[in-house]
Amino acid sequence: MVLRVDDMTCGHCAGAIQAAVEGDLPGTQAAADPATKTVTVRGTADAAAVGRAVKSAGYTPSSGA
């Protein structure tokens, strides 16, 4: 799944989001890209769980990618 995160602006942001998703949702792989403002997630987590993980890192997921 691909989730848009408009307030991801730099590599630090991307690292924080990726770490939160992978840390909060074992068995997932995340790749955050500040250039496209998206995080791509592979695994069994649903969109709501990924959204909560992004929020736990202090960022706001958007409804569309």
Side-chain angles (χ1 to χ4, degrees):
M1 95 181 59
V2 178
L3 195 66
R4 186 159 179 87
V5 183
D6 287 325
D7 54 353
M8 175 176 30
T9 59
C10 66
H12 173 76
C13 299
I17 291 168
Q18 183 172 320
V21 171
E22 291 178 349
D24 290 357
L25 305 169
T28 61
Q29 295 177 337
D33 183 352
T36 61
K37 297 186 180 290
T38 59
V39 58
T40 302
V41 180
R42 290 188 172 84
T44 59
D46 63 26
V50 174
R52 286 190 299 273
V54 171
K55 286 181 183 178
S56 78
Y59 299 91
T60 307
S62 298
S63 58

